[in-house]
Amino acid sequence: MNYELKDRIQEKIDNLNKPKGSLGRLEELAMQICLIQQTLEPRLSHPCHLLLGGDHGIEREGVSVSPREVTWQQMINFTRGGGGVNMFCRQHGFDLTIVDVGVDYDFTKLSSHPSPLTPHLSILDRKIARGTKNFLYGPAMTQEQYEQALQVGADLVDDCHAKGCNIVSIGEMGIGNTSPSSIWMHLFCHIPLEDCIGAGSGLSTDGIRHKYEVLKQAVANSCVPSVASDQRSSASLFTLHFHTSVASR
C-alpha cells in the first residue's frame, strides 16, 4: 500500500466542493480506483463489458424455477438491446460483447438475420460444449475444458486491451448458475452449504430445500477433491472459469 499516495488522494477528495464524506460510497470507490491506477487523476478508457452465456447440467435436477431454454432466449434478447445490461452499457458508454461459451443452443443461424434494432450486436462463438455435465453424477467438465475456459477469458481481455481498454466488467447468463456458485462458496470459503443456497430466480421454500439436498448429495458424491482446480472442474460452470481468468488477467 502506497500510504503517501493514499493520503494525497484523501486530501483531494476531502477538498472537493462538497461537505467532507457527503458522497459516501462514491468516495470509497474514488479512493479504490485511484489506488488501483496509482494516480490522483484516474481515467477509464474504452470500458468493456463481457457478457458470458452457458448452461449447466445440474439444472436437470430441478434446482431452478426456469428451464434452460431461458438461457438462449435471454442471450438473443441481449442482442436486441432488451436486457438491463444493455441499458447500463448504453448509459455509461461500455462496449458490450456477448459471448457464448456453453449455451445449449445453436446461435449460428442468427448471424444471417441481424436485428434491425442492434445490427452491430451479435453473439461471439467461443462455445466449449453445449452446457456442462451434471455434477451430481460426475465432474461438470474435463480438465481440457477447464483450461479452455480460462484461455477464452484471457484472450477476450487481451482483445479489450488492444482496443485501448483499461477497465473490464463481467456478467453471466445461465439458468441454474447459482447452484455451482453455491458449491464454490461452500468449498473455498468454508461456509456451511445451507448458508450458501438461496432462492435463485424464485424458488419456494420447498424448492430451496430440494436444491440443498441435491447440492449436498453432489458434494458427497464428488468426495471433495483436495486440489483447487479439481474442485472447480468437479462442480462448476464455464462462465465462472471465464470470470476467474478475467480477474487474474
Side-chain angles (χ1 to χ4, degrees):
M1 172 72 71
N2 185 338
Y3 289 102
E4 180 183 356
L5 177 61
K6 184 177 181 181
D7 290 342
R8 292 168 60 201
I9 295 168
Q10 190 63 59
E11 181 181 5
K12 181 175 182 179
I13 293 173
D14 289 344
N15 284 284
L16 295 175
N17 188 18
K18 61 170 183 59
K20 189 177 294 186
S22 62
L23 296 183
R25 177 64 176 148
L26 286 177
E27 295 191 16
E28 296 175 11
L29 291 173
M31 170 66 76
Q32 185 176 358
I33 294 171
C34 286
L35 287 173
I36 289 171
Q37 296 192 1
Q38 290 289 288
T39 180
L40 293 174
E41 298 180 357
R43 294 287 185 272
L44 304 184
S45 304
H46 198 107
C48 291
H49 184 81
L50 300 172
L51 176 58
L52 287 301
D55 280 301
H56 318 301
I58 195 67
E59 172 270 337
R60 301 297 192 192
E61 301 301 319
V63 294
S64 173
V65 295
S66 302
R68 67 173 45 207
E69 287 77 15
V70 173
T71 301
W72 67 259
Q73 292 167 1
Q74 185 64 8
M75 290 287 282
I76 292 174
N77 184 42
F78 292 143
T79 70
R80 296 171 178 169
V85 66
N86 298 94
M87 182 273 292
F88 284 121
C89 285
R90 287 193 300 267
Q91 183 179 27
H92 298 289
F94 273 66
D95 184 353
L96 174 62
T97 301
I98 305 167
V99 189
D100 170 18
V101 291
V103 180
D104 188 10
Y105 187 78
D106 180 12
F107 290 111
T108 57
K109 54 190 164 186
L110 297 179
S111 59
S112 59
H113 299 87
S115 167
L117 296 177
T118 53
H120 62 292
L121 277 183
S122 60
I123 297 174
L124 192 62
D125 183 9
R126 295 293 183 270
K127 193 188 296 287
I128 298 168
R130 291 186 63 153
T132 56
K133 300 294 185 182
N134 187 342
F135 63 73
L136 179 61
Y137 304 108
M141 65 186 70
T142 65
Q143 181 67 23
E144 290 75 19
Q145 289 174 328
Y146 163 74
E147 294 172 357
Q148 187 179 352
L150 293 178
Q151 189 60 54
V152 167
D155 290 344
L156 287 174
V157 171
D158 288 345
D159 291 343
C160 292
H161 185 261
K163 300 175 185 176
C165 172
N166 72 348
I167 177 71
V168 175
S169 60
I170 50 180
E172 184 269 340
M173 176 64 213
I175 297 302
N177 52 13
T178 61
S179 289
S181 300
S182 297
I183 296 285
W184 273 37
M185 185 185 299
H186 168 62
L187 292 178
F188 294 117
C189 299
H190 308 291
I191 299 172
L193 180 60
E194 193 162 10
D195 294 340
C196 300
I197 295 172
S201 56
L203 286 172
S204 64
T205 300
D206 289 342
I208 294 173
R209 174 52 53 178
H210 170 71
K211 182 178 179 180
Y212 168 72
E213 295 298 336
V214 169
L215 299 188
K216 179 182 177 182
Q217 188 60 53
V219 172
N221 291 350
S222 72
C223 299
V224 188
S226 59
V227 179
S229 62
D230 290 342
Q231 291 178 337
R232 290 192 290 266
S233 59
S234 293
S236 196
L237 56 158
F238 298 132
T239 49
L240 269 182
H241 293 315
F242 175 89
H243 292 174
T244 301
S245 178
V246 169
S248 62
R249 202 68 168 181

